[in-house]
Amino acid sequence: MFQNLSRALRILAVIIRFRLDAFLPYDKLPWYLKYSIGLVSRLLKPSKRYTRGERLRMALISLGPIFVKFGQILSTRRDLLDEDIANELAKLQDKVPPFNKEEARNLIEKALGANVEDVFQDFTIEPLASASIAQVHCATLRSGEEVVVKVIRPKIEKTIRKDIGLLYAIAKLVRNINDDGRRLRPVEVIEDYEHTILDELDLTKEAANTAQLRRNFEDSDLLYVPQIHWDYTRKNVMVAEKISGIPVANIDELKQADVDMKCLAVRGVEIFFTQVFDHSFFHADMHPGNIFVDVTNPKSPKYIGIDCAIMGSLSYEDKSYLARNLLAFFKRDYRLVAELHVESGWVPKGTPVHAFESAIRSVCEPMFAKPLKDISFGQVIIGLFQTARRFNMEVQPQLVLLEKTLLNIEGLGRQLYPDLDLWETAQPFLERWLKGQIGPQRVFEEIKIQAPEWAGHLPKIPNLIYSALEQISHQDVRHQQNTQAIIKLEQELKRNNRMLPFKILGVISLVTAWLNADEVSLTRIAHADLTSLALFAVGIYLLVLKK
C-alpha cells in the first residue's frame, strides 16, 4: 500500500515537473483539483522551451522503462492521438542500464539447470544489449555455434503489474473527465498494453513465433530469421542463433557497402504484404532496432528479422476486406469503401452508407492532390479508421497492429529510398492475391486442405446415411400424426363455426323463455305456459343436442 502511494506521488511529481497539466481540461475537473493544480501551476515557471509532445516524452523517460515501453506502444495509436504527440512518442528508445551481470548469470544457470561453463564453450558476461524487459549476452555453444542468450530481468513482472495498476487508475480518470477522454478509449489502450507486455515475459512464446516466421520464409531471398535452440530455451531464457548484418537504420554504412537501396526498400514492402496476406502471420514490432541487412550480395540485399515477441494475424475475411478497401480507395470508389466497412462488421450494420461515403470522400479526396507515389499508405488507413470511428467503429486489435507495422515499414522504406512508390508494389500484389482467392485454382487448393478431414469421415458415411434416413422416417410418422391432428382441429373449427349461429339462437331462446316466464313458472314447470316451454326446449336443443 505504502509503495503504491509512494509511486503515485512520484508520478504526480513528474506530471507537475513537466507541466503535463496542460493536457487537462480544467473546466471538467472537480473544484478541489482545479484549485490544487492552479496553485501549483502558478508556483512553477511555464515550460515554454518544449512542446507538449516533448514534455510528455521526457515525463515517460523520467518514470522509467515500463512507461517508456507504454509510450512506444501508444505512439502507434495514431487513430487516437494528435500527430505532434504521436511523432514525439515514436522517438522513445527502449534502452535502460543492464542489471547486475552476476545476477544474469545466476538466472540463466537456474533456468537451464546447469553451470554456464557446462552449457557454453564461451559466455560473455558483459551484455550485448539491454532493454526494459530483458537483456542479451553473447555465447558459443559446445558445438561451436555462436548464439545470443536473452534473459528476462529479475522481479520485472511485479514492477510491471504495479505500474499497470497505476496506469489503469490514470486511464479511468481520463475516461471520466469528458467526452474526449472517452473517445480516446484509455482503458482499452491499457488493456492492449497489459496483454502485450505480459506476453513478452514468456520467452517460449517469442521463440515459437520466431520458429514460425523462420519456417514461413524458409529458402526465401527476402528475409532471414535466426534459428531457435529449443534445448536451451525456457520461460525466462531464450537461446538463438547469432546473426551478422548491418542495422537497417545505418543508411551511410549501407551505402558504403554499395547496397541497392531501391531494391532494399521495395523488398521491405514485399515482406510486409507477404506476411499479412500470404502467411496471415506478421511481425508487428518491425522498428529499425529489430531489422538488419545481409549485404553479402549488395545488389540483392536480404533482411534479417529478430525479436518476434509481438506478432499479428488477420482472418481471411479481414484480409479480403482490407485488400478490397485499399484497391477501392485508390480507384476513388468511396461507395465501395463504405459498403465494405459495413459488410465486414467494422462499423454497425445500421450505419447510413451514404453519409459514411460522404465522410470518407471528404477525408480521402484531398490526399489525391499529391502524386500517387507521395500518398502514405499508413495515413490512408489511419484516415479511414478515424472516419469510421465517428460512425462507432469498434477498436479492432488486429488492425491496430497492422496499422503500426505498415507505418514502420513505410517510414523505413522512404528512409532507405525517398522516391519509394508503395502503391507500385502493393497494387499488383493485392490484385494478384484477390484473383487467387477465386476460380478453379482456389477451389482445388481448398479441396487439398479439406481432403484429409473428408477422408477421415468416409468410413462413417454409411452409418450417417442410415441415421439420417431413420430420422427422416421418424419425422414422416410424426409429420403424418401432426397432419392428422391439424386436419381434425380444422374440422372441429369448421363445425364450431357452422354451429355458432345455432348456439347464439339457443342462448336467445333460453333468455326469452326466462323473461317470458313468471315466478311460479320458474319454480313449477307444470304452471309454465306452452310458449316458455317451447322456447326453453328449443334453447336446450340448440345448445346441447345440436351437433
Side-chain angles (χ1 to χ4, degrees):
M1 178 69 181
F2 177 76
Q3 287 181 337
N4 285 341
L5 178 61
S6 173
R7 186 66 169 148
L9 289 173
R10 171 162 166 67
I11 290 172
L12 181 61
V14 169
I15 289 172
I16 293 169
R17 176 187 169 194
F18 290 100
R19 296 304 309 275
L20 299 187
D21 57 286
F23 289 92
L24 299 174
Y26 279 92
D27 57 323
K28 305 290 183 181
L29 293 176
W31 67 269
Y32 52 88
L33 281 180
K34 284 183 188 177
Y35 178 79
S36 303
I37 294 171
L39 181 63
V40 173
S41 299
R42 287 187 182 91
L43 295 175
L44 295 172
K45 291 182 180 179
S47 184
K48 293 182 179 179
R49 290 181 301 161
Y50 302 105
T51 65
R52 60 176 187 164
E54 289 172 328
R55 295 202 305 276
L56 179 59
R57 175 172 56 81
M58 291 187 292
L60 291 173
I61 291 171
S62 176
L63 287 169
I66 303 304
F67 283 81
V68 166
K69 199 157 190 69
F70 172 66
Q72 286 180 312
I73 293 174
L74 190 62
S75 71
T76 66
R77 299 303 303 269
R78 291 175 180 262
D79 55 327
L80 302 178
L81 298 178
D82 292 334
E83 188 174 0
D84 63 319
I85 296 174
N87 289 339
E88 278 299 324
L89 294 182
K91 296 176 184 177
L92 288 166
Q93 297 295 315
D94 187 15
K95 292 181 180 178
V96 296
F99 61 91
N100 185 278
K101 48 193 176 185
E102 287 302 325
E103 192 169 9
R105 179 192 181 107
N106 291 338
L107 286 170
I108 293 167
E109 290 182 340
K110 184 177 179 182
L112 299 181
N115 292 330
V116 163
E117 291 80 9
D118 295 335
V119 178
F120 303 107
Q121 182 178 307
D122 179 58
F123 180 82
T124 306
I125 196 68
E126 293 296 332
L128 175 68
S130 177
S132 58
I133 302 296
Q135 66 186 35
V136 176
H137 296 260
C138 292
T140 305
L141 293 175
R142 285 288 171 188
S143 59
E145 296 170 84
E146 291 190 334
V147 295
V148 290
V149 183
K150 187 172 184 177
V151 56
I152 298 291
R153 283 179 173 271
K155 303 176 183 176
I156 188 66
E157 184 172 356
K158 184 178 179 182
T159 304
I160 288 172
R161 291 192 182 278
K162 189 168 61 176
D163 283 348
I164 283 177
L166 290 170
L167 285 172
Y168 269 119
I170 295 169
K172 288 171 183 175
L173 178 64
V174 171
R175 182 187 63 186
N176 295 332
I177 284 174
N178 61 3
D179 291 339
D180 282 340
R182 283 188 288 276
R183 180 184 63 81
L184 290 173
R185 303 173 189 265
V187 175
E188 290 180 11
V189 172
I190 303 301
E191 285 173 353
D192 287 346
Y193 174 58
E194 181 180 22
H195 176 75
T196 299
I197 198 166
L198 290 178
D199 265 2
E200 288 193 52
L201 297 179
D202 187 349
L203 292 181
T204 59
K205 290 184 179 180
E206 180 180 338
N209 291 339
T210 304
Q212 178 67 56
L213 191 63
R214 176 181 172 86
R215 192 158 56 249
N216 289 347
F217 282 92
E218 208 162 15
D219 302 323
S220 168
D221 294 328
L222 299 175
L223 178 68
Y224 182 82
V225 180
Q227 181 182 359
I228 295 295
H229 292 274
W230 284 105
D231 290 343
Y232 311 110
T233 295
R234 306 290 186 271
K235 185 175 180 180
N236 64 330
V237 172
M238 182 180 78
V239 176
E241 172 190 0
K242 185 180 180 182
I243 54 96
S244 177
I246 298 174
V248 74
N250 294 3
I251 307 294
D252 291 339
E253 195 175 345
L254 290 171
K255 288 180 178 179
Q256 286 173 8
D258 199 28
V259 170
D260 186 332
M261 302 301 277
K262 180 180 180 181
C263 175
L264 187 62
V266 169
R267 284 191 165 187
V269 178
E270 288 179 9
I271 289 170
F272 170 76
F273 282 101
T274 300
Q275 288 182 91
V276 172
F277 290 97
D278 287 346
H279 302 156
S280 298
F281 187 75
F282 60 91
H283 195 310
D285 197 21
M286 292 196 77
H287 61 76
N290 288 338
I291 307 172
F292 296 81
V293 182
D294 179 357
V295 296
T296 306
N297 182 356
K299 298 306 175 187
S300 181
K302 187 173 186 176
Y303 282 94
I304 304 171
I306 62 170
D307 196 352
C308 300
I310 306 173
M311 304 298 290
S313 179
L314 296 184
S315 67
Y316 173 77
E317 290 76 14
D318 281 339
K319 290 190 296 182
S320 178
Y321 285 125
L322 182 64
R324 290 159 66 193
N325 258 298
L326 289 171
L327 288 170
F329 168 80
F330 280 98
K331 292 175 182 177
R332 303 194 192 192
D333 189 347
Y334 304 120
R335 179 76 178 187
L336 180 57
V337 172
E339 289 174 346
L340 286 169
H341 272 72
V342 176
E343 186 182 332
S344 67
W346 293 349
V347 295
K349 293 294 182 187
T351 301
V353 174
H354 179 73
F356 190 25
E357 175 193 2
S358 177
I360 292 171
R361 182 182 292 107
S362 66
V363 170
C364 297
E365 195 61 32
M367 296 182 185
F368 285 100
K370 297 184 287 188
L372 203 59
K373 70 179 182 67
D374 294 334
I375 295 176
S376 165
F377 245 69
Q379 292 303 323
V380 166
I381 290 181
I382 289 171
L384 287 175
F385 288 172
Q386 283 178 334
T387 305
R389 257 195 238 313
R390 285 161 44 199
F391 289 82
N392 299 316
M393 177 179 177
E394 289 296 318
V395 174
Q396 307 283 333
Q398 75 279 18
L399 297 181
V400 170
L401 284 176
L402 178 86
E403 176 189 304
K404 164 194 171 183
T405 307
L406 180 53
L407 284 168
N408 281 340
I409 290 295
E410 186 173 36
L412 177 63
R414 291 205 161 118
Q415 244 186 319
L416 295 170
Y417 185 70
D419 291 329
L420 174 68
D421 186 346
L422 211 71
W423 183 238
E424 185 180 9
T425 304
Q427 183 180 13
F429 188 101
L430 293 174
E431 289 176 342
R432 184 172 66 251
W433 183 83
L434 282 172
K435 187 178 179 181
Q437 305 312 300
I438 57 176
Q441 182 65 28
R442 173 66 181 173
V443 173
F444 179 68
E445 287 178 1
E446 195 63 30
I447 289 173
K448 279 201 302 184
I449 293 170
Q450 300 293 341
E453 186 177 351
W454 294 344
H457 288 304
L458 279 175
K460 303 174 186 176
I461 287 178
N463 284 335
L464 289 172
I465 292 173
Y466 175 78
S467 298
L469 291 173
E470 193 172 16
Q471 286 179 8
I472 291 170
S473 175
H474 290 158
Q475 285 174 356
D476 286 343
V477 172
R478 285 196 297 270
H479 178 69
Q480 289 174 3
Q481 292 172 345
N482 291 338
T483 302
Q484 290 171 358
I486 290 170
I487 292 171
K488 187 175 180 181
L489 180 62
E490 286 178 348
Q491 290 173 345
E492 186 68 21
L493 287 172
K494 286 178 181 179
R495 190 184 65 77
N496 285 337
N497 286 337
R498 286 197 308 270
M499 293 303 300
L500 186 61
F502 295 103
K503 291 184 183 299
I504 292 172
L505 186 56
V507 170
I508 293 171
S509 298
L510 287 173
V511 171
T512 304
W514 179 74
L515 292 174
N516 190 55
D518 55 21
E519 188 176 345
V520 175
S521 301
L522 291 173
T523 56
R524 293 185 180 180
I525 194 167
H527 292 87
D529 61 28
L530 292 175
T531 303
S532 297
L533 287 173
L535 290 170
F536 184 78
V538 168
I540 294 295
Y541 172 76
L542 292 174
L543 284 174
V544 180
L545 302 177
K546 181 68 175 175
K547 299 291 182 182

